[in-house]
Amino acid sequence: EQLGLLAGGVAHDFNNLLAAILANAEFLADDVESPAQREMISDITVAGRQASELVAQLLAFAGRGAAARRLIDVRQIAEEAVRIQRGAARQRGIAVQLESSAEALLVSTDGAQLGQVFANLISNAVKASAAGQTVSVRLASGQLTGLALESARLRYLDPGPCVLIEVRDEGAGMSATQVDRIFDPFYTTRVDGRGLGLAAVQGILQRLGGALLIDSTAGEGSRFTVALAAATSAEAAADASTDRGSGEAPLASDPAAGWILVLDDEPLVRTQVV
């Protein structure tokens, strides 16, 4: 709880500082010709982005920020997450494959936060794997029963129709003691881990309303299954009606006729945006 309060308290100011750092690094990169200096600027940018991702994980763990819910096909989020993670996996000699049922897998959720769940689970699976192994991501519709929920590690939804997201690896697996601790902040089974990925997943699923089931045995790999409530027919109809009725006002014919107002309480950010 104290970590959550700390994360929420410092994240806004910290992100403002990171915005100024990253913007200035980007401006410098446009003017510098020395390869050595450009490499240093690149290191600044990489470190800044990693710091930003770390803040996002802390905020997710803290449960901060309202979920911007809309009707989403889970396959679109999965395809993007797999595409992003394949590059890092390929460098380690690990394959990432995606399997999905043919029908639409619609849920009412926050796409950005669900994307973070995919990113953390796939990244963990890749890091737990060895060269030559495969990480499998499988999507399907299902029916979540009360019995299944009793065995879930995280339970923030009721039994009923759901969309199942399964991420499986062929790595070393975990003991029962390790599984019991995986949601503890900063706990990790790897020497190169921060121990915030699954803590963030817990915060996100609590906010979105989901469940997480874990099947892992030492020496036999791990399987993480996320369950989200499937969208109802009424939600699908309402979403289709909203799409048909939405329309954007036409842009002014003279692009020089408008103003852009920049509002921010941090002078560094105002300067960079302008």
Side-chain angles (χ1 to χ4, degrees):
E1 182 180 359
Q2 290 181 1
L3 178 60
L5 291 171
L6 175 64
V10 304
H12 174 72
D13 292 336
F14 193 62
N15 276 330
N16 279 343
L17 298 174
L18 286 171
I21 291 170
L22 290 170
N24 277 297
E26 197 170 324
F27 293 147
L28 278 174
D30 291 337
D31 297 331
V32 169
E33 296 182 359
S34 165
Q37 291 179 340
R38 292 184 67 87
E39 185 175 352
M40 286 188 283
I41 293 172
S42 176
D43 289 344
I44 292 171
T45 302
V46 170
R49 288 174 178 166
Q50 288 178 347
S52 182
E53 291 170 2
L54 187 57
V55 172
Q57 287 184 326
L58 284 167
L59 286 174
F61 163 71
R64 297 300 181 98
R69 292 180 178 273
R70 62 185 181 88
L71 210 60
I72 288 174
D73 189 337
V74 173
R75 288 178 300 186
Q76 296 177 354
I77 307 295
E79 288 169 357
E80 177 68 9
V82 168
R83 183 187 66 79
I84 293 172
Q85 295 293 329
R86 270 185 177 141
R90 192 176 296 114
Q91 292 178 357
R92 300 167 62 103
I94 299 163
V96 181
Q97 63 181 22
L98 174 63
E99 303 173 20
S100 177
S101 56
E103 76 271 19
L105 302 172
L106 299 177
V107 297
S108 178
T109 191
D110 185 307
Q113 294 184 21
L114 180 58
Q116 192 172 349
V117 170
F118 271 108
N120 283 328
L121 292 182
I122 298 173
S123 176
N124 278 352
V126 169
K127 292 176 181 176
S129 303
Q133 295 181 335
T134 299
V135 171
S136 301
V137 181
R138 182 174 175 270
L139 311 176
S141 58
Q143 186 77 24
L144 196 63
T145 65
L147 184 62
L149 279 175
E150 288 180 7
S151 63
R153 291 285 169 169
L154 302 177
R155 299 182 290 272
Y156 303 113
L157 82 166
D158 298 322
C162 64
V163 172
L164 299 173
I165 302 163
E166 178 186 287
V167 179
R168 177 183 296 189
D169 66 69
E170 302 170 340
M174 295 178 287
S175 65
T177 302
Q178 290 173 322
V179 173
D180 287 339
R181 295 196 58 194
I182 59 174
F183 299 113
D184 293 350
F186 302 112
Y187 174 76
T188 178
T189 59
R190 304 188 309 272
V191 295
D192 61 341
R194 296 193 185 101
L196 275 172
L198 289 174
V201 167
Q202 179 180 21
I204 293 172
L205 290 182
Q206 182 176 9
R207 191 156 57 253
L208 297 181
L212 177 63
L213 294 84
I214 302 173
D215 181 16
S216 184
T217 304
E220 298 182 10
S222 301
R223 179 178 61 193
F224 288 75
T225 304
V226 172
L228 297 171
T232 63
S233 56
E235 288 173 326
D239 184 76
S241 175
T242 300
D243 286 344
R244 286 194 300 270
S246 64
E248 296 184 1
L251 295 174
S253 58
D254 182 3
W259 290 81
I260 297 175
L261 177 63
V262 178
L263 295 174
D264 200 282
D265 61 351
E266 175 57 54
L268 283 170
V269 174
R270 287 199 304 272
T271 301
Q272 302 313 317
V273 172
V274 171

